[in-house]
Amino acid sequence: MRDPSVALPGGADPATRTRELRRAHAAFTQDGRVEDPVRAVIARSWRRCARARLSPECAPRVELAEAELRTYREEHPLARVMPLFRDLVGAFAAHGAHLLAVCDARGSLLWVEGEPGTLRRAEGLGFVPGARWAESAMGTNAPGTAVAMGEPVQVFGAEHFSRRAHPWTCAAAPVRDPRTGGLLGAVDITGGDSLAHPHSLGFVRAVARAAEAQLTLLAADPPPPGDTLAALGQDEAVLVTAGRRIRLGRRHSEIMALLAHHPEGLSGEELAIALYEDESVSPVTVRAEISRLRALLGSSAPLSRPYRTAGPLAADFTALTRQLAAGAVSAALRHYPGPLLPASTAPGIVRLRRRIEDQARAAVIARADAGLLTDWVCGPWGADDPEAWRALAAALPPERRPAALAHVRALDRELGVRPDHGGQPRATYPQPARS
């Protein structure tokens, strides 16, 4: 049985496969048809590229200048496992004239190392440290698609969405923080057709797992300075406390997020109002939820009178808002996986979620950076935001601007907004509700 994760099934001829994929790529870019032998994982990626209005002629942009890149790499968690990557991948890459590449969670390349001749070819492609290879910027490619999906992926030849990458084959696997489960980036091997072998995907997956094991050992001593709560982009928050990683239920996630936002504490009545849409809910109900939470957390459970955390609790959404307030928009959005507890309907969480999202949205639009804006409009929270799409169109180079403006016009039609006499849509749109 054919393994859908493998780019070049056993016995397949690379030259024949290349011709078939190029025909399929041409068909898709012309009329959106997905033909054999395109794998499902690649077809889904191509469709995401089409929704992002990417051109198959897209080219990478270097977004991190040398000085900024050097500082960012030194501080990045994956810097601690670069010696491991070099030990495991270096000889393999050198022997096969391949490259070792490591990207962050936004698909920005941090390290690209390997055989000198292959490095020179990669420079011509724009596959260099500091360049943005996120799927939302460069289309289907192993490091960018691996961080977009959160899963290992192999991309062969014309499976790449960008035509300039068709001569290359790559395999990449995501690397996660072993304490929180958060995405740190991906490790990638890039080179020629020989990398389409199934062993390449298995190898890079094993390298990623080895890196996570190494990060676990490095984090074991000393212990983290305090409890942490990860609640952005997921319906169930993850609490790290006393060396334990605990995935909370939805109601407990809401309670801990609200208490993290109110370190001074909340009364039973205040917490009930923040948690329940039905204002007649009694504080007794809150006490029952807190009792269940105490059974789960033990000594790390919230204290009473008022309800408050047992000690300092660092939440990802509070760190995000601090960075945005300080003007560190790029750093903040690199670690923005999505809105706060997106499925929650608790009134206090809904208000806080809107406030955070509005703050992030305003900062991204004001920064007018094409990479940040592309990430924003390609997320479900920004896909139908005309103002963000208009800002993206203004930030893009002229040759890429028409697709973004076409998306603005499509949103105008959906919202019933009439264009002005100059042919440009009006700038008055319904804004998110404020509390």
Side-chain angles (χ1 to χ4, degrees), residues 378-398:
C378 288
W381 51 86
D384 297 325
D385 185 339
E387 187 178 350
W389 276 99
R390 182 187 299 281
L392 174 61
L396 288 170

Side-chain angles (χ1 to χ4, degrees), residues 2 4-9 17-18 21-22 25 37-43 45-46 49 139-142 145 153-162 165-166 168-170 196:
R2 176 181 166 188
S5 68
V6 174
L8 198 62
R17 179 80 167 178
T18 296
L21 285 170
R22 284 180 175 165
H25 184 276
V38 179
R39 296 176 291 143
V41 64
I42 300 300
S45 176
W46 283 2
C49 298
T140 310
N141 69 91
T145 300
V153 65
Q154 190 175 47
V155 182
F156 169 70
E159 290 182 333
H160 288 90
F161 190 76
S162 172
H166 283 186
W168 297 81
T169 294
C170 45

